[in-house]
Structures are given as structure tokens and as C-alpha cells.
Amino acid sequence: MTQSSHTLWAGRYEAEAADSLRRLNDSYPFDKRLYADDIACSTAYAQALARAGVLTADEARLITDGLARVLQEFEAGTFQVGANDEDIHTAVERRLGELIGAVGGKLHTGRSRNDQVATDIRHWQMATIRRVQAKVLALQHAILEQAKQHAETLMPGYTHLRAAQPITAGHWLMSFFWMLQRDYQRWEAAYDATCTSPLGSGALAGTPYTIDRMELARSMGFARVSMNSLDAVADRDFITGFLYIASLMLTHLSRFAEDVIIYSSPQFGYIKLDERFTTGSSLMPQKQNPDILELTRGKAGRIAGHLSGLLNTLKGLPSTYNKDLQEDKEPLFDTADTLETLLPALIGVVETMKFDPAKMLAGLDEGMLATDVADYLVAHGVPFREAHGVVGRLVRHSLETNTPLSQMPFDVYRQLSPAFDEDVLDVFSYTTSISKRSAIGGTAPSAVRAQIDEAEKWLGSVDQG
Ligand code: ARG
């Protein structure tokens, strides 16, 4: 039997693989997307074999030219999958043999699909992280632009989803900028962790050929080589890291999505979403639904499931390669695809959403200034604990008499504390309330502008690489 009509292990085997085994075992349907990475790493490997004297220069050239033709077939969409192409590695090698003959069979010298697949996925993940990072930055830019417009725009700030204190819309927006900044830094660390080359680990024990692994690693774009072949062929920490960061970032984005869903609901009306980024109902003509934001929430659950799933796959695996590890790819690819489709849609939502400052102002009530009244007493020498009690009674009176705090007779104030003067009424300004919170990280317009400056500095340093 020739290789093209039988499996990679045809020497040892007499029988053809059962169909049921093939359907379960083949990864080609989902790992074919690694074709460019597989071919790039094989090209580098052929050159490393030539440097090690395993291939002649002519053989290496034949192989690398052949691999370039296989790549062209993939890019042109003319690549024909073979009946026995179990995975992308098998498919590329089989086609190479068809194109250049027996010399193609020298490419796999000293290599195993175990170190090959680990190398290919890392190679793929390096480029993928860079694309994801670019989209994270674009989302941060969109948030920052909105924040600049609304550094002074008042809105209610919530705790427990109950109106708590006045804040600025820019402050609310920037809170998500900083979450994404931490995510971006995590992506950066993940990129670095991905840049370790396992190639040259063989099936598990290492390579007997005098391959300069460091030079090979650099030629594929990696920064360093793995230090232990047993670890290297089974190390999927870099994928776990990818899934973790994606989960955490989607957790952040799901919280943003939830806020915007609430604020853009007709009952709140703080934010108006652009028609292009919402959907209608097939039944109820009045509806404008925030599907992108709901899907952001939903995808966060799905991706957290991928992280949990992979951790469970890895848990308790015996040393080195086991076929369980083939389960690493679908969650990884699905997570990357999810991020790459979700982020542009979310960027669209953020770029086009419009705040309604009048509605947000109407969402404020004087009760949200109760802390400011307590701070007034503190400024007049009353210990905060005592001030809190005084204002508590004031608020209670206001609720019982259905009178806003600023409309209550001054007598009531005086009865509750002699520290009150007529100028307590000056406290009832939302603008004054936010302006006082000007320490670093506060909601005052000046502090929000300071955040924006810091954010722009950071973006500048990142954009320059
Ligand atoms: N398709 C396999 C995977 O994705 C490639 C490695 C196969 N190695 C093996 N010893 N059968 O994990």
C-alpha cells in the first residue's frame, strides 16, 4: 500500500481504519484552518534540517518549493482533501509527496505530529492575539471618544441598581476603558507566553538530530524554545490562558452590555442606540432590541464554558501527548471567532450610541445628595457618624412629608442639628456635588479629563508598539 491510499501508520497496520473511528478521530474538518501555520512551520523545519545536514540544500529547496505550491492550492481554494487526510498535518504532507515525490517523505525526519501540532497552534495563536488586541484598542478608542463628549454630563450612579450618587457619563464610560486596559495587558502577557517553540521535542523524548532549536524557533517568529520535551508536547497552558483572558474580558463586556441594555430601555431612556445596531421584532412593531448587547452577555457564558471545558480535559491527563489534547482546538477557534465577530459589532454600538442628558438629569433626585448634606455637617465640625444619623432623620422626614430635601422648612434642619445654616441649600446642586469629587479617580469633570489624558497617554504608548 502506498501512503496516499492508506494511513500514516500503514507499515504497522494491515486493516483499514473503521469509518466510525475516522468520524470520531479526524480533526481535519476543524484544524484545516491551520494550513498556513502548518506550512510556514514546516518550511522553517525543512531549512533547519538542511542546516543540521539531514537534508541537502537541493532537497530542502524541493520541499520548500513544494510546500509553497501546497499553500497556493489552499489559498486558491483548489486544495483537495484526501480520503485518508486525518488532520491538516497529514493532508499537507500527503499533498507534498504527490507534488515532489519521495523526497517529501524526508520532511518529517525527527519530528512528530505531537511537537508539530503544538507549534502550529502557538503560531496561529500569536497572530490571533495581535488581531484581537487591535480590536480591543479600537473599542477603547470608541469608549474614549464618547467619554470626551460627556466628561461633564450628569447621570445617576448606581449601587445595587439603586440610584446612589450623581456621576458623570464620562466617568461611567471610562470605568470600562480601564477594565479593557487590564485585559489588553493580559493579552500582551499571553502573547509572550505563546512565543515558546516546542518544535524539536519529537513525539516526547526530543530530537536525535543536531537541530539548532533556537535558530529554528526564531525563524518561525518565536522568542524562545521549550526546556523539556515531555512538558512541551502536552503544554496547553497558552490555550488555557487565551480562554481565561477571553472569559474575563467578556465578563467585563457583559457588564457594560447589561448597563447599556438597562440605560437604553424605554423606561430609562438615558441612551439611544442606533438603528443599524439594533433589531426589530417580527410581531411587535414598536420594539427596538439590543441584540448585540444581549449576545455579548450570552457569549460571555459560552466562552467561560470553553475555559471550564478545557481545564477539565487537561485535569489528570497522564504525561505527554494524549489524544484528549485534540479537544483543545474547537474551543480555542470558537473563542477567537467569537471575539473577532463580537468586538466590531460592539464598537459599532459604542460609536453610534447617543446619550440623552435631559433624561439622565431627570433620573437624579435630591436624595442622591444626602451624602453631600452629611459632608456639609462634617465641614461644620460634626463627626461623620453623627452627621449620617442626622441626615438619615432628615431623609425620613422628607419621605414621610413627600417634600424634596431642598424644599423643607429650615426649622426642620435646625431642629435636627444646630450646625445647619441657611447656606445648606447650596448643597442641592448636582454640579457642585460632582465637582467636589476631584481627587484622582473621582467623578468630577476635572478628574474625568485627567483620566482621559492618562488613557490617551497609554494608548499612545501602545499604538507605538
Ligand atoms: N490531530 C492531532 C491533534 O490535534 C495531531 C497530533 C496527533 N498526534 C498523535 N500522536 N496522534 O492533537
Side-chain angles (χ1 to χ4, degrees):
M1 289 238 182
T2 65
Q3 264 215 353
S4 55
S5 70
H6 208 340
T7 52
L8 283 178
W9 48 87
R12 156 74 178 77
Y13 270 63
E14 255 177 28
E16 288 273 357
D19 284 348
S20 57
L21 169 111
R22 292 293 310 276
R23 270 195 295 278
L24 175 66
N25 199 43
D26 288 5
S27 56
Y28 184 82
F30 53 85
D31 68 17
K32 60 176 181 242
R33 65 191 285 169
L34 293 172
Y35 73 86
D37 307 281
D38 192 73
I39 291 171
C41 296
S42 283
T43 302
Y45 189 64
Q47 285 154 354
L49 285 176
R51 287 192 295 269
V54 178
L55 298 179
T56 66
D58 282 347
E59 287 171 334
R61 200 168 316 111
L62 271 172
I63 289 175
T64 53
D65 288 353
L67 285 169
R69 286 173 63 192
V70 180
L71 180 64
Q72 276 166 13
E73 292 185 2
F74 272 104
E75 312 258 84
T78 58
F79 185 89
Q80 298 284 328
V81 58
N84 288 307
D85 291 347
E86 180 186 324
D87 53 27
I88 183 62
H89 326 293
T90 321
V92 170
E93 201 184 319
R94 187 261 313 152
R95 184 63 185 141
L96 179 67
E98 288 169 3
L99 290 171
I100 68 169
V103 64
K106 294 195 173 188
L107 170 62
H108 212 53
T109 311
R111 188 175 69 170
S112 158
R113 280 182 298 156
N114 297 353
D115 56 349
Q116 187 180 3
V117 70
T119 308
D120 287 2
I121 317 172
R122 284 176 180 271
H123 193 264
W124 178 90
Q125 186 171 290
M126 282 169 3
T128 303
I129 289 176
R130 287 307 191 218
R131 285 197 309 277
V132 169
Q133 283 184 302
K135 292 190 167 84
V136 174
L137 286 182
L139 178 57
Q140 289 181 284
H141 271 290
I143 291 173
L144 191 74
E145 284 311 309
Q146 286 281 8
K148 278 187 192 168
Q149 306 299 312
H150 295 288
E152 302 186 9
T153 311
L154 283 162
M155 73 179 282
Y158 296 85
T159 64
H160 308 265
L161 203 53
R162 267 73 173 156
Q165 290 182 330
I167 59 169
T168 51
H171 197 48
W172 169 73
L173 284 161
M174 287 305 289
S175 70
F176 296 100
F177 180 96
W178 298 114
M179 291 179 216
L180 289 169
Q181 187 238 21
R182 296 194 296 274
D183 292 328
Y184 185 92
Q185 285 168 335
R186 275 184 273 268
W187 284 120
E188 196 60 30
Y191 179 85
D192 183 62
T194 307
C195 288
T196 301
S197 167
L199 201 55
S201 297
L204 74 161
T207 178
Y209 300 96
T210 56
I211 287 170
D212 182 337
R213 289 192 58 211
M214 194 58 223
E215 198 180 355
L216 169 59
R218 291 229 174 85
S219 70
M220 297 183 293
F222 290 87
R224 67 188 84 78
V225 297
S226 54
M227 283 297 137
N228 182 302
S229 62
L230 304 177
D231 175 33
V233 294
D235 176 10
R236 298 294 184 271
D237 295 1
F238 64 103
I239 303 182
T240 314
F242 187 105
L243 300 183
Y244 165 67
I245 299 163
S247 293
L248 188 56
M249 186 170 85
L250 284 168
T251 299
H252 296 148
L253 294 178
S254 75
R255 299 187 65 187
F256 174 70
E258 177 64 2
D259 275 3
V260 180
I261 288 170
I262 293 169
Y263 297 164
S264 65
S265 66
Q267 288 80 356
F268 275 72
Y270 296 173
I271 291 174
K272 178 98 185 93
L273 299 176
D274 191 283
E275 275 189 7
R276 284 170 300 158
F277 296 97
T278 55
T279 60
S281 158
S282 57
L283 178 72
M284 301 162 283
Q286 84 284 11
K287 292 290 287 294
Q288 198 197 7
N289 295 327
D291 292 31
I292 292 174
L293 300 164
E294 293 164 79
L295 284 169
T296 302
R297 250 181 357 199
K299 301 284 187 193
R302 169 180 175 137
I303 303 309
H306 288 332
L307 170 62
S308 168
L310 184 64
L311 286 171
N312 279 287
T313 295
L314 298 176
K315 176 187 168 298
L317 270 192
S319 267
T320 89
Y321 185 83
N322 297 269
K323 200 54 174 271
D324 317 43
L325 291 173
Q326 183 167 281
E327 292 294 307
D328 60 355
K329 278 172 275 308
E330 287 156 294
L332 175 62
F333 294 154
D334 183 61
T335 301
D337 293 343
T338 298
L339 294 179
E340 293 211 57
T341 45
L342 181 68
L343 289 170
L346 213 45
I347 291 165
V349 169
V350 174
E351 280 175 347
T352 57
M353 68 189 196
K354 298 227 174 349
F355 288 87
D356 186 334
K359 285 260 173 63
M360 295 196 288
L361 193 61
L364 297 168
D365 68 74
E366 288 180 355
M368 298 172 74
L369 296 173
T371 317
D372 297 76
V373 180
D375 287 331
Y376 169 95
L377 289 175
V378 169
H380 289 70
V382 182
F384 180 77
R385 255 317 125 222
E386 195 182 318
H388 186 282
V390 169
V391 181
R393 286 189 284 281
L394 198 66
V395 168
R396 195 193 170 95
H397 189 81
S398 144
L399 290 171
E400 279 168 2
T401 58
N402 203 15
T403 321
L405 288 174
S406 65
Q407 307 300 312
M408 286 196 318
F410 182 63
D411 285 359
V412 178
Y413 280 86
R414 253 298 152 75
Q415 273 160 28
L416 285 167
S417 170
F420 280 123
D421 270 321
E422 302 265 1
D423 67 353
V424 67
L425 290 182
D426 295 346
V427 167
F428 296 104
S429 153
Y430 301 122
T431 313
T432 306
S433 169
I434 55 164
S435 301
K436 282 188 175 152
R437 289 165 171 81
S438 59
I440 296 171
T443 199
S446 63
V448 173
R449 277 191 218 97
Q451 275 183 65
I452 291 172
D453 286 349
E454 280 302 311
E456 284 188 321
K457 247 184 255 161
W458 180 79
L459 281 174
S461 72
V462 170
D463 284 344
Q464 284 155 26

